[in-house]
Amino acid sequence: MARQQLLHLRLFLLSSPKPVLLNPLPSLTSSSSSRNASSNPISRNRVWTLTTPRRADSTVTSLAEEILSSSTNDLSPDLASVLESDSARSIVHPSINGFPFLELLSLLKRRPLLALQVFDWRRNLRDSTPLIAEEYASAIALAGRAQNLSLAVKLFNESKPTANKPILYNALMTAFMYNGEVNRCISLFHELKKETKYGPDTVSYNILLSLYGYHILVDQMESVLRDMDSSGIPRSVVTYKILMCGYLRSRRWKQMERIFGSFKEPDMSTRLLMLRGYAIAGKLEKMERMYELVKGEVHAQEMSLICAMIRAYSKVRCESSLRKIEELVKLIREEEYFPHLHIVLIMVYAKEGLIDEMERLIFDANKRNIVISSHRVIRTILSVYYKCGDVERLGSFINQAENAGWSLSKDLYRCKMILFSRLGRLTEMCCEVDKMDSYWPVRDRYTLKILYKGFSDAGRMWEMNMVIGLMFKYGFRIPQDAVVG
Ligand SMILES: *[C@@H]1O[C@H](CO)[C@@H](O)[C@H](O)[C@H]1NC(C)=O
Ligand SMILES: *[C@@H]1O[C@H](CO)[C@@H](O)[C@H](O)[C@H]1NC(C)=O
Ligand SMILES: *[C@@H]1O[C@H](CO)[C@@H](O)[C@H](O)[C@H]1NC(C)=O
């Protein structure tokens, strides 16, 4: 459990592991700039691309429900018999509302393996219309979701003779991208450029741009953009958002702001992206102005932005930022609580020297199984105890750390030794050394120096000389003021 939390924290601190988890990555769906931008909020399912789901009709919705329950509930009919029904057969044909089968796949996308089984059924169905490119593209995307790239490639190969269109390349590029196959994604793009009947479209370029942007390869991203412009492929709203994400990841605030400024009327998702940029950049005034504009949306669904803003405030030390942080923390719902945020808050209170608040949060961290592992954080906490000199409170912090399995450092015990020595409680100071010996068998000079100083300040020459003897024994340099005699 503790390890998992640690991993979580580390991932959070560094970056999301894969583009699929990247928060501000816009959906790659819309390909034309004429599309109404505000009808395309950044979708939570960014992997699902390339098809534009319409409102599913009731036959499709109920069929999807039946299929989903067929694999979870023993009482329901199994998948094969659901697919034998008339309603299943009726949706494989195009209707005036579009292509109901595509809608079905889109409703099943959260269960990609199940959706692929349904696709297989449709593919093997006798006397039905041949599969169209969009159906193949959906299946390729599903295979990508299921992390089965060999299946994605197989479907791509299979589709090419009958349904040859950029959408298939785009689907496979997306599958590669989301599975971290950067080079395969790029080389597929170059294959697409070699196609004689058509070339890459806006979506293909968008995929490549977001790939480079995600991997903080700004020069490549910009060169792809130039290539896009010189090939006469129109940029879309999504293109601009992808560029903003790329600049955000590479911390190029000026360029990010420039692109933001080029929107006549930025939509909500663009504003949220810019807010994130201002928060990470620590541009508090601009951040606050933007926050005023998008408050409602942030409160409704963008908790990670609240965390980003808290982080931004936590970097400046002043009365008002502490107050603002406390207000923002109130907005965070329990289920959306980040361990990382907790650590940030501990640091805020520690830096302000507010020991009661800090201890309350540390206690809470322990309850939530949050691992405090960073030496920087531990040292900041210790500095509070060092200043206030309360060795009992430090002792109970160390006990918690030991019991919770937080990474222990010598600094904890050294700080306790110093506090004991300040109070003249030298026996207890020595006990700490024994404790350290059980964790770190090899003594170090710094610990001995604290012992030395404790005894020498108390005028206990005999013990002091013993410590000097130990220093000799280990070959450490003797403190300069030591009187050897
Ligand atoms: C875009 O859609 C929104 C609501 O969905 C609408 O209010 C707005 O007028 C539309 N804009 C354009 C340019 O079509
Ligand atoms: C990928 O899909 C193919 C065909 O459905 C299947 O045979 C294969 O076992 C799958 N591979 C993985 C790694 O799931
Ligand atoms: C797909 O086709 C390419 C060349 O057209 C071939 O190299 C590759 O092995 C094929 N892959 C599969 C899984 O069929």
Side-chain angles (χ1 to χ4, degrees):
M1 182 65 190
R3 266 202 95 69
Q4 219 172 342
Q5 291 278 9
L6 179 65
L7 184 68
H8 183 108
L9 178 63
R10 191 166 315 141
L11 289 179
F12 191 90
L13 286 173
L14 295 174
S15 62
S16 321
K18 280 186 186 169
V20 65
L21 300 173
L22 177 66
N23 203 27
L25 187 71
S27 113
L28 302 166
T29 324
S30 62
S31 61
S32 93
S33 47
S34 61
R35 214 173 134 177
N36 187 336
S38 60
S39 68
N40 177 33
I42 290 185
S43 87
R44 291 211 170 265
N45 298 305
R46 293 163 194 97
V47 180
W48 191 255
T49 55
L50 309 159
T51 55
T52 9
R54 279 162 283 267
R55 192 193 307 269
D57 72 24
S58 60
T59 322
V60 176
T61 329
S62 59
L63 185 61
E65 274 162 18
E66 252 184 287
I67 291 173
L68 286 171
S69 69
S70 74
S71 61
T72 54
N73 186 345
D74 288 342
L75 297 176
S76 308
D78 60 11
L79 182 61
S81 52
V82 174
L83 292 176
E84 265 168 31
S85 65
D86 286 344
S87 62
R89 301 222 37 140
S90 74
I91 65 152
V92 297
H93 304 291
S95 76
I96 37 167
N97 297 325
F99 231 86
F101 186 68
L102 283 176
E103 285 162 25
L104 179 67
L105 288 184
S106 142
L107 290 174
L108 299 177
K109 71 190 172 209
R110 281 179 200 289
R111 303 272 305 278
L113 292 176
L114 190 63
L116 283 167
Q117 275 179 298
V118 176
F119 174 78
D120 250 357
W121 161 80
R122 153 85 176 99
R123 181 165 53 166
N124 299 326
L125 206 58
R126 268 181 291 120
D127 23 287
S128 72
T129 50
L131 287 162
I132 58 168
E134 283 73 11
E135 284 170 303
Y136 270 119
S138 302
I140 292 169
L142 287 167
R145 269 194 163 225
Q147 302 182 324
N148 190 336
L149 289 181
S150 58
L151 178 60
V153 173
K154 192 168 146 257
L155 288 167
F156 177 77
N157 282 3
E158 180 187 312
S159 69
K160 277 198 81 180
T162 51
N164 206 357
K165 275 188 182 176
I167 188 179
L168 294 160
Y169 278 94
N170 295 343
L172 190 57
M173 278 173 71
T174 313
F176 283 151
M177 175 169 79
Y178 286 121
N179 285 282
E181 295 280 349
V182 175
N183 292 333
R184 288 173 86 182
C185 180
I186 296 169
S187 63
L188 188 64
F189 178 82
H190 289 297
E191 267 180 50
L192 171 57
K193 283 197 96 172
K194 283 193 220 128
E195 284 284 353
T196 45
K197 289 206 200 98
Y198 52 81
D201 59 8
T202 304
V203 176
S204 328
Y205 275 102
N206 282 351
I207 294 169
L208 209 58
L209 286 170
S210 86
L211 184 77
Y212 284 129
Y214 179 76
H215 289 281
I216 320 188
L217 297 166
V218 178
D219 293 344
Q220 281 94 327
M221 182 177 88
E222 288 175 342
S223 119
V224 169
L225 186 69
R226 280 193 297 275
D227 182 26
M228 183 176 182
D229 290 344
S230 62
S231 314
I233 305 295
R235 300 182 187 184
S236 66
V237 176
V238 176
T239 312
Y240 290 97
K241 289 186 191 174
I242 288 171
L243 293 173
M244 279 178 72
C245 286
Y247 289 130
L248 175 93
R249 280 188 68 79
S250 55
R251 309 287 189 254
R252 303 210 180 176
W253 311 120
K254 270 210 190 97
Q255 283 98 322
M256 190 182 178
E257 259 188 304
R258 186 167 46 78
I259 300 216
F260 182 72
S262 70
F263 280 97
K264 265 205 205 83
E265 207 169 303
D267 64 4
M268 183 55 78
S269 64
T270 317
R271 289 199 168 122
L272 293 175
L273 198 56
M274 199 61 236
L275 175 59
R276 191 181 298 277
Y278 287 141
I280 299 175
K283 296 178 191 281
L284 297 187
E285 274 176 34
K286 286 179 173 174
M287 178 184 94
E288 284 172 359
R289 275 205 299 275
M290 185 65 77
Y291 177 57
E292 281 306 314
L293 292 177
V294 295
K295 236 176 182 167
E297 187 67 16
V298 172
H299 296 183
Q301 54 168 332
E302 291 290 340
M303 284 300 137
S304 70
L305 268 171
I306 303 241
C307 295
M309 286 167 60
I310 291 176
R311 261 183 82 85
Y313 285 125
S314 77
K315 288 180 194 147
V316 291
R317 284 182 65 180
C318 69
E319 187 78 4
S320 72
S321 51
L322 186 61
R323 206 190 58 241
K324 285 171 187 163
I325 288 175
E326 284 175 341
E327 269 166 28
L328 288 172
V329 168
K330 281 189 213 137
L331 297 170
I332 296 179
R333 289 179 284 269
E334 180 59 34
E335 67 274 15
E336 285 173 309
Y337 204 86
F338 289 111
H340 164 67
L341 176 65
H342 207 94
I343 308 275
V344 170
L345 292 176
I346 290 176
M347 289 291 272
V348 167
Y349 287 113
K351 281 186 193 150
E352 295 289 329
L354 297 168
I355 188 166
D356 293 331
E357 282 302 310
M358 180 188 88
E359 285 195 329
R360 189 181 57 74
L361 283 167
I362 292 172
F363 183 71
D364 210 30
N366 203 353
K367 269 204 315 209
R368 292 170 189 265
N369 285 318
I370 295 172
V371 174
I372 301 182
S373 61
S374 138
H375 286 309
R376 192 171 59 91
V377 177
I378 298 273
R379 265 200 297 274
T380 313
I381 294 173
L382 282 180
S383 72
V384 178
Y385 289 113
Y386 184 82
K387 273 188 215 129
C388 85
D390 191 331
V391 73
E392 316 303 337
R393 288 175 96 158
L394 173 61
S396 69
F397 169 69
I398 295 180
N399 278 344
Q400 271 188 73
E402 284 169 342
N403 294 335
W406 295 340
S407 75
L408 301 171
S409 81
K410 289 183 179 178
D411 290 336
L412 292 170
Y413 302 93
R414 287 174 183 154
C415 183
K416 204 169 167 194
M417 284 171 70
I418 292 172
L419 296 190
F420 275 136
S421 116
R422 260 198 229 161
L423 297 166
R425 291 158 65 175
L426 299 185
T427 321
E428 286 152 294
M429 174 180 82
C430 294
C431 288
E432 291 308 309
V433 182
D434 292 339
K435 200 153 196 188
M436 283 177 79
D437 283 348
S438 65
Y439 290 115
W440 299 277
V442 181
R443 295 237 172 111
D444 62 289
R445 175 171 180 270
Y446 191 51
T447 307
L448 290 177
K449 208 175 144 191
I450 295 170
L451 272 181
Y452 161 80
K453 192 156 182 335
F455 288 126
S456 99
D457 287 353
R460 307 249 297 246
M461 293 320 206
W462 189 76
E463 285 101 333
M464 190 189 90
N465 284 330
M466 286 247 302
V467 177
I468 293 180
L470 276 175
M471 286 176 158
F472 263 126
K473 183 179 156 203
Y474 290 108
F476 296 140
R477 211 153 35 83
I478 310 293
Q480 272 176 359
D481 57 344
V483 192
V484 189

